[in-house]
Amino acid sequence: MYESMRGMLQKARQEGYAVMAINAFDLESAAGVIHAATEMRSPIIIDLLQDHVKAYFDCDVLTRPIIRMAQEAPVPVAINLDHGSDVAHLKRCLHEGFSSVMIDASGHAFEENVRITRSIVEFAQEFGASVEAEVGSMGLVGTGAGFTEAAMYTNPDVAIEFIQKTGVDALAVSFGSTHGDYPQGYVPTFHFEIVEAIRSATDVPLVLHGGSGSGAENIRRAIACGINKINVGTDYMIAQRDFVAKALQTDPDIEYPELLHRAYLEASKVVQSYIELAGSKGRAW
Ligand code: 13P
């Protein structure tokens, strides 16, 4: 079933769980995500990162077969452009059939973020697509941007004003997570009060980015405080990479198609464990 994120996330909000949004970049990795959701009878979001889409297959090549897979899946599947910052490219993605887009204008000043996001909300209406946006700034581990600076946290009052002015369907908020792999043994400190303050003032589903390595307890609490979409990319990619490395050690002559097929099946177990944690298991309709 091919769906937009809108209904999916509203249901999650009403029932108190989160839908996992997993980064895929080709047909195999997308198939792995759908496989996990099917096994768990869960709704799922395939997050296609703008920079991956541009670098590997563009939206005109990649989107159609993934939509086809989504349509044929026995569970609800949304396709979301992740961190779309190039407005012209984002509009092409909507023309190619994305059911959801994230417009990431969070690097701009507040009024400009509002203006750009509002224009995308209006444009997406023509396609019946849902729109996610971001206020605050999730860093990237290893870029030197750091991930403990107060400056990167979302200000709840600003987020509430942003939601009112833009009419977005979902909002990514920054409260302590960061994109990428954390140093060994590091567990991020989450500022749950940020999520609670926004959640108590609005019906709009809130999104946790940089879900990889957050730790089970942080994820459970984030959902209890009002997070309804959790983005995970790194942990899924690492699971694929690690499987390939191990399989090549055990059997260096393994057939290449078999290697890739088994890599996504194996890595889909990581997606299943996140689905379990997010509480969306058995929530497919
Ligand atoms: P991770 O790669 O840290 O899980 O973050 C994924 C993400 O937030 C994509 O938007």
Side-chain angles (χ1 to χ4, degrees), residues 8-165:
M8 227 180 232
L9 295 184
Q10 277 167 2
K11 185 171 183 292
R13 192 191 185 286
Q14 280 155 14
E15 297 177 15
Y17 62 91
V19 180
M20 292 306 304
I22 309 291
N23 285 119
F25 55 93
D26 64 0
L27 296 187
E28 277 77 13
S29 52
V33 176
I34 293 177
H35 176 76
T38 303
E39 289 290 299
M40 303 292 274
R41 298 289 314 149
S42 170
I44 198 86
I45 298 159
I46 296 178
D47 255 354
L48 299 174
L49 187 67
Q50 170 194 278
D51 293 353
H52 285 167
V53 174
K54 283 183 166 184
Y56 304 134
F57 300 89
D58 215 332
C59 52
D60 49 337
V61 177
L62 190 59
T63 318
R64 302 273 161 104
I66 299 183
I67 291 176
R68 180 78 186 271
M69 287 195 276
Q71 284 167 339
E72 289 178 5
V75 294
V77 180
I79 298 179
N80 180 45
L81 179 72
D82 192 26
H83 291 284
S85 54
D86 174 343
V87 168
H89 182 261
L90 180 148
K91 288 182 175 176
R92 273 183 57 212
C93 289
L94 284 169
H95 279 289
E96 290 297 335
F98 276 63
S99 66
S100 307
V101 288
M102 176 193 186
I103 171 69
D104 184 354
S106 62
H108 293 277
F110 177 77
E111 287 304 338
E112 185 64 357
N113 190 359
V114 168
R115 189 191 65 75
I116 295 171
T117 303
R118 179 73 216 154
S119 74
I120 297 301
V121 168
E122 281 163 14
F123 188 81
Q125 273 166 8
E126 285 175 42
F127 301 87
S130 63
V131 178
E132 174 184 343
E134 177 175 328
V135 174
S137 183
M138 258 74 60
L140 183 67
V141 175
T143 59
F147 44 89
T148 57
E149 296 161 26
M152 67 184 273
Y153 298 132
T154 301
N155 177 326
D157 294 336
V158 171
I160 293 159
E161 189 185 343
F162 183 86
I163 288 168
Q164 286 161 353
K165 287 187 164 168

